[in-house]
């Protein structure tokens, strides 16, 4: 076990589609702590739908912003484990990221001057690597070493063609903006691809159409609507969200991921 | 990242109705750790039913007792987020509590000489506060600052009218005590409003009636009954509990939260 | 709160059938941290099926290997709580284990020169012990004391007849090996009692029969099969696993825990 002394606390977050019934997450944590017992391990979520890379990418984008500088984000949604797909580590100048090169880190690759390296250094891997569990045997050890101060360049050669998924954005046509539902949260809120910036460019919001429902204007918070009433608002992640006060919008409006949302603006102020 | 050195470890527990599929809990933890990376963060539960303030209050009452002095309990079940409802911090002389002023902390306000302050100090909040996520932008930062030693009076003005829900208690009529089911746990145990003290005042328990089931006498532990047999006992939280050995009492006795339980005593010894 | 200073970080893992909706796990963590606030607490899983000792034993066997030396594993699947069943602590020379003596630690008792002691020392227990929650009042305090350096012999007298469940193994008849499904994981993978060693003794695998499905040969990783195709491979825990690429083998092959799997080998090389 590593002495703690004056060393700062290094944080590793974990995100996966492993669920919490098995001990796969526990095994990854064991591998992390066997390299540095003083790591602070924080679960983002392990309930990404199985093999849903887009869902994992969304979770990483929404859940990581508030962590302090130097945090390492370990993410494993990995349908291609054991195949030719690469493992990568990324340093974006603020946080580090470790996992499969399958698009999971698209938002990091897209938005920042990211340094990407392939995980090939055998000294940073388990002695025996299971072909079905790189999370435990390759990604967790790499994440632990990065968290304790290793530079991302030490994991292996530079990668300049990491896989970056096309971003789901919104299309503007005059006063109309067409987006789609990216995520349905635990409360049934419908979180869309329409951003604060998109909405601001429209001027004031006249109406929002989603499924068979038309909503007039934009609310500020859930309590602005009457119980049971649908509303649109800018959610905590900076996206337009359609909610039902005290209810479950996805069920009550019969709308899910991928559904179209159309916002009509009053024109720029 | 904060140096750890000789500083003691500060603990923050988290309780919410956020579930664990989204990254809302992760975002709160990021906000906490960005103020002090050395905090020890402990989840009580994030599976309070959505917007169930009474359920959240019950969880806080049952789950917090064993934590060491100075622990900070951050709790967010917050249907009124963004409205006029206040945010508060409470110091009860042993633990600190942070969250919405909506009754969630009723048991703290009721039982102890609690100092209550409103969360108004902007220096203890995120620079931009989302009107839909005070958990991340107001409560988490306040909890982190309290955990690192800030006095509760520094968060804002004194509150002397914090919301306190009516307590669900039991009614005594002669040898009969009438209470209700407060909670159904993971094993199906029916935890009632009847306390150890209530039962002691009755003398020995003659019978317990719940739903269509009559139970004779009081057991000490689950193994005292035969498999499949219903029993009453004093549970680990100091409340009368109705259980079925090796079974799921709520399903098998067809009884849920709010159901009436009637205990007949033999009279005081 | 304990000063951290130069002390190494002590790790306690937690495994139970408590689920995560109640605050039972939180109460155990409070009890642990009230003895040493600097403990690093790691959940293996709390979703062992209620009172499934065999399932708990499987989880402990699969999830604990990677943790660093001196880790303490606290496990509570405890249908006999409050009865005559003993509480025990085990030191196997590498890790320590604390929980009920009901077979939960069979793999530890079986495989190593384990020192087993009964938890009788009242100084290591809560002042008042609930007859229904030894996890909080006996096991958690003992685990915390062991993690901070107490020797296992200090908890109480030696136990030389701890309960050890019969191991579910595989039967070999010539070129045929007959085993059974031990566990269905979150992805629907069927993890069997057949080990790497069993398979190696067969030489190359000719075919695997499970339920109504026959699989030819052995794959190395999930990506080796076509989408929707069943395959057999050696999983990350060293057991033969039957999977469907991109699918849920248990549902699609209509097979569950206890089902028979028959492997035919080509004979030793």
């Amino acid at each position: 076990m590593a002495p703690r002394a004056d060393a700062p606390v290094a944080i590793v977050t974990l995100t996966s589609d492993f669920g919490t019934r098995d001990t796969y997450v526990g095994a990854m944590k064991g591998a992390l702590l066997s390299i540095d017992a003083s790591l602070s391990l924080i679960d983002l979520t392990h309930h990404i739908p199985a093999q849903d890379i887009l869902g994992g990418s969304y979770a990483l984008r929404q859940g990581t912003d508030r962590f302090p500088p130097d945090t390492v984000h370990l993410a494993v949604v990995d349908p291609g484990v054991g195949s030719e797909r690469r493992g990568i580590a990324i340093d974006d100048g603020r946080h580090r990221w470790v996992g499969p090169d399958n698009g999971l880190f698209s938002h990091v690759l897209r938005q920042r001057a990211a340094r990407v390296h392939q995980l090939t250094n055998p000294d940073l891997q388990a002695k025996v690597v299971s072909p079905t569990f790189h999370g435990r045997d390759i990604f967790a050890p790499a994440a632990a070493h990065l968290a304790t101060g290793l530079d991302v360049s030490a994991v292996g050669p530079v990668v300049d063609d990491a896989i970056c998924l096309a971003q789901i954005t919104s299309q503007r046509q005059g006063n109309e903006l067409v987006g789609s539902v990216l995520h349905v949260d635990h409360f049934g809120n419908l979180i869309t691809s329409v951003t604060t910036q998109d909405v601001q460019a429209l001027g004031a919001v006249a109406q929002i159409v989603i499924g068979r429902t038309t909503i007039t204007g934009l609310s500020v918070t859930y309590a602005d609507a009457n119980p049971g009433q649908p509303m649109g608002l800018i959610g905590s992640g900076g996206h337009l969200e359609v909610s039902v006060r005290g209810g479950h919008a996805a069920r009550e409006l019969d709308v899910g991921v991928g559904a179209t949302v159309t916002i009509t603006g009053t024109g720029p102020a």
Side-chain angles (χ1 to χ4, degrees), chain A residues 38 134 160 172 192 231:
Chain A
S38 77
H134 288 188
D160 57 12
R172 171 104 182 259
T192 75
M231 75 190 101

Side-chain angles (χ1 to χ4, degrees), chain A residues 193-212:
Chain A
S193 60
V194 177
T195 65
T196 313
Q197 291 74 29
D198 292 337
V199 169
Q200 283 168 345
L202 277 184
V205 168
Q207 68 171 30
I208 300 165
V209 178
I210 188 165
R212 295 178 301 274

Side-chain angles (χ1 to χ4, degrees), chain A residues 89 91 115 117-118 121 146 150-158:
Chain A
D91 184 329
R115 296 160 57 213
H117 288 259
Q118 188 177 357
N121 184 343
L146 291 175
L150 191 78
D151 189 78
V152 75
S153 62
V155 307
V158 167

Side-chain angles (χ1 to χ4, degrees), chain A residues 31 122-138 141:
Chain A
D123 296 343
L124 306 178
Q125 305 182 353
K127 279 173 204 161
V128 178
V129 172
S130 163
T132 62
F133 198 3
H134 288 188
R136 180 190 65 192
D137 295 341
I138 296 180

Side-chain angles (χ1 to χ4, degrees), chain A residues 94-189:
Chain A
R94 183 162 175 268
H95 288 174
R96 275 83 51 83
W97 311 77
V98 177
D101 176 28
N102 60 14
L104 201 48
F105 304 112
S106 296
H107 74 293
V108 184
L109 298 169
R110 201 156 43 221
Q111 293 178 0
R112 293 166 181 144
R115 296 160 57 213
V116 188
H117 288 259
Q118 188 177 357
L119 299 170
T120 58
N121 184 343
D123 296 343
L124 306 178
Q125 305 182 353
K127 279 173 204 161
V128 178
V129 172
S130 163
T132 62
F133 198 3
H134 288 188
R136 180 190 65 192
D137 295 341
I138 296 180
F139 303 144
H145 285 290
L146 291 175
T148 59
L150 191 78
D151 189 78
V152 75
S153 62
V155 307
V158 167
V159 171
D160 57 12
D161 58 349
I163 292 176
C164 190
L165 303 175
Q167 191 170 14
I168 298 173
T169 55
S170 307
Q171 305 304 320
R172 171 104 182 259
Q173 292 186 313
N175 268 0
E176 223 172 72
L177 193 63
V178 180
S180 64
V181 174
L182 293 180
H183 181 70
V184 177
D185 78 7
H186 172 71
F187 298 96
N189 298 316

